[in-house]
Amino acid sequence: MSNPTYPLLDRIDSPADLRAMPESELPLLADELRSYLIETIGRVGGHFAGNLGTIELTLALHYVYDTPDDRLVWDVGHQTYPHKILTGRRQQIHTIRQHGGLAPFPKRAESPYDTFGVGHSSTSVSAALGMALAARNQGQSRRVAAIIGDGAMTAGMAYEALNHAGHLRADMLVILNDNEMSISPNVGGLNNYLTRLLSSQSFTSAREGSKRVLDHLPPVREFARRAEEHIKGMVTPGTLFEEMGFHYFGPVDGHDLPTLVQTLRNLRQRSGPTFLHIVTRKGKGYSWAEEDPVKYHGVSAFDPHTGKMTPKSGGVSYTRVFSDWICDMAARDERLVGITPAMREGSGLVEFEQRFPERYHDTSIAEQHAVTLAAGMACDGVKPVVAIYSTFLQRAYDQVVHDVAVQNLPVLFAIDRAGLVGADGPTHAGSFDVAMLRCLPNFTVMAPADENECRLMLSTGFEIDGPAAVRYPRGGGPGIEVASGLQTLPVGKAEVRRHGHNLAILAFGTMVTPATEIAESLNATLVNMRFIKPLDEACVLEIARSHGAILTVEESAIAGGAGEAVSECLAAHGLTCPLAHVGLPDRFIEHGSREDQLEDAGLTAADILAAANRLLAQCPENHGKRAETPAWRG
């Protein structure tokens, strides 16, 4: 049933419906869409402030461009809820980020209007250029526009794509959504007027006609070109983009719908690479989000009337453990520096920046630079700690190999969000860091079973004279009290938590907790492996000799994972026994709650128990003697 409070929005089932509306109704539709988002996300949570800031832009784009034939390529995608609502998914928007519901970011399999799947930043210009070149090769006249934020413009990949697009003279539009007001203090009526004028067909025709006349007078044309460049440089910040081969327009008010629509109409007719700079405000139209866009970037359910969010349950998070540890270690060792690629809040470095501002470095969205920066510091006696999400570490893998591992430099990687991450889905799941790092010579890789062990491992990794990584999950652990000291663990030593019969469960990191109950129920041996690399081979070999079967359990990809390290160890020593691995399967796990994802991946306690019982059925008869406490016990 239609909601009577949204009379215009109720009429929109597709962008074709939007384009059938008179332009005069667009501002009222923007108001309705903004109210609908506040109400809906207030109930279910999700990305919020960025979406409020792109409402007018989204309306203008779908109003002017012939989507989905024309291609709109969004960067990151956490600002695309208005896009999803206008492209036939309004009735499902309350399911966003939930198991079986709408994806949190654009996803090609979800809608033909989602032209490119995203989640990470700074990919839009490259993807849009690829689509523009495909249209050129196929003789198609469709238009392509990339929408990229000022944060995403801090990554080198965006400039690589801009440089290439300018060189190829590709027919595409890049829209810079500047929502920090950092390079655009001069937005206002004059700039809006200038942009409408400069982007108009009449001005473009006059400009190109003048060029043809001046072609016969080379010195005069060069003088005119320089004059145009310097005059535009005085009133706009677009000189950089002009030098890269783009025709720059802006900045303009990104909430002024008439200006946006007219400007986009003008620019859609242009050929060649074109750059439009708009300025928006995160959280536009919702005072609490405008005042604190970081807090309201991604929200849990909240009261739309008060802005008060539903408090999150749980104890001390692993991120908090890291935050406390790095401050304590920095106070003890002045060589420590903290580095993050634009994840100060998410990685737990807010307090560190406040207490040690000279030793804190935010590289912006530049993971490759962050890693090589750390390597350079490590060359000259500094002890860098790189705080980074597992999924973002993927973007700097070459630097991890070439600049850190090859040179055996003492860089500690504090890898947050390792394993499944819930609602953000496969683009943000830390599934592959174990496989990436385990194969690298010189690396030490650790996975804590609880909060206190995480602190111990961070201290251990910091003291190692070589590259080290501690991978820990999003959220909290089993609730173990964290000691205040800076003690370390013996490198490469596992911890036997329970001695039992026949079956041995070798658990890594987060899987120690669910494996504990299973080991009790089956009277199995349980080993908290702690170190993925170097593996405690003495422990593994003794377990293989004294038990009928081995089950490895990890919250990372089975392919190349910790379990395979156990298999390799046994094979290298000529030992065989029934052996099985439980971990993330060879597919991407879709978004949902963490519990939904564990079930999807086959990593619940019931799944681990079933795998253990299958192994027990394969055990040789009479091989159930209780293992004695061996010398290798950690």
Side-chain angles (χ1 to χ4, degrees), residues 106-351:
K107 183 177 181 180
R108 282 171 51 82
E110 185 176 286
S111 170
Y113 294 92
D114 292 358
T115 60
F116 196 75
V118 289
H120 291 185
S121 87
S122 315
T123 62
S124 60
V125 183
S126 295
L129 174 58
M131 294 175 187
L133 295 179
R136 177 192 290 180
N137 291 345
Q138 296 164 6
Q140 300 292 326
S141 60
R142 61 178 176 265
R143 313 303 292 178
V144 181
I147 305 96
I148 185 169
D150 56 337
M153 285 291 290
T154 62
M157 182 177 177
Y159 293 93
E160 294 170 10
L162 287 169
N163 183 62
H164 193 203
H167 171 71
L168 294 175
R169 306 300 301 163
D171 291 337
M172 62 181 293
L173 171 65
V174 175
I175 300 173
L176 170 60
N177 176 24
D178 177 4
N179 54 32
E180 294 294 340
M181 305 283 296
S182 57
I183 58 175
S184 317
N186 54 351
V187 172
L190 176 60
N191 279 288
N192 289 348
Y193 172 75
L194 284 174
T195 299
R196 288 197 301 269
L197 173 66
L198 294 173
S199 65
S200 67
Q201 191 64 38
S202 57
F203 179 86
T204 300
S205 298
R207 183 173 183 265
E208 296 304 317
S210 299
K211 283 184 178 180
R212 286 193 293 272
V213 172
L214 294 177
D215 277 341
H216 301 288
L217 302 168
V220 180
R221 174 172 178 172
E222 178 62 15
F223 173 79
R225 185 192 68 79
R226 290 177 178 270
E228 177 190 38
E229 181 178 297
H230 287 294
I231 291 170
K232 289 181 71 175
M234 287 189 291
V235 296
T236 70
T239 304
L240 170 65
F241 306 111
E242 294 274 356
E243 290 296 327
M244 298 179 83
F246 278 75
H247 200 164
Y248 172 92
F249 300 94
V252 298
D253 183 352
H255 301 296
D256 182 343
L257 261 170
T259 294
L260 280 177
V261 168
Q262 186 57 53
T263 300
L264 288 172
R265 277 192 181 127
N266 293 338
L267 297 183
R268 188 178 180 277
Q269 304 306 314
R270 293 185 56 84
S271 60
T274 308
F275 195 99
L276 175 62
H277 179 181
I278 70 168
V279 174
T280 62
R281 184 167 187 177
K282 278 187 175 179
K284 174 70 173 176
Y286 191 69
S287 59
W288 290 281
E290 288 186 11
E291 293 166 7
D292 194 347
V294 173
K295 177 181 177 181
Y296 285 88
H297 168 73
V299 298
S300 56
F302 66 93
D303 184 344
H305 302 292
T306 65
K308 185 176 181 180
M309 296 185 200
T310 303
K312 296 180 180 179
S313 60
V316 176
S317 70
Y318 282 96
T319 304
R320 180 74 237 181
V321 172
F322 168 75
S323 177
D324 293 340
W325 171 83
I326 194 171
C327 288
D328 292 345
M329 184 61 80
R332 191 181 83 172
D333 193 329
E334 63 182 13
R335 297 174 300 165
L336 185 151
V337 299
I339 301 171
T340 182
M343 294 306 298
R344 180 188 63 171
E345 289 82 11
S347 292
L349 287 172
V350 173
E351 183 180 349

Side-chain angles (χ1 to χ4, degrees), residues 46-48 51 74-81 83-84 89 93 95-98 101-111 113-121 123 297-298 389 391-392 421-429 474 590-591:
H47 293 107
F48 186 58
N51 283 297
W74 297 90
D75 210 285
V76 184
H78 55 238
Q79 76 280 42
T80 55
Y81 292 14
H83 161 80
K84 289 181 182 255
R89 288 168 278 180
I93 199 70
T95 70
I96 201 157
R97 295 162 57 86
Q98 298 173 23
L102 292 182
F105 308 107
K107 183 177 181 180
R108 282 171 51 82
E110 185 176 286
S111 170
Y113 294 92
D114 292 358
T115 60
F116 196 75
V118 289
H120 291 185
S121 87
T123 62
H297 168 73
Y389 288 9
T391 186
F392 297 158
V421 295
D424 282 340
T427 60
H428 284 64
R474 181 179 190 174
E590 294 301 327
H591 60 278

Side-chain angles (χ1 to χ4, degrees), residues 472-487:
Y472 46 91
R474 181 179 190 174
I480 302 300
E481 184 177 353
V482 181
S484 59
L486 294 169
Q487 294 86 2

Side-chain angles (χ1 to χ4, degrees), residues 97-99 421-423 590-598:
R97 295 162 57 86
Q98 298 173 23
H99 182 63
V421 295
E590 294 301 327
H591 60 278
S593 69
R594 174 170 166 77
E595 290 71 26
D596 290 330
Q597 289 189 315
L598 287 171

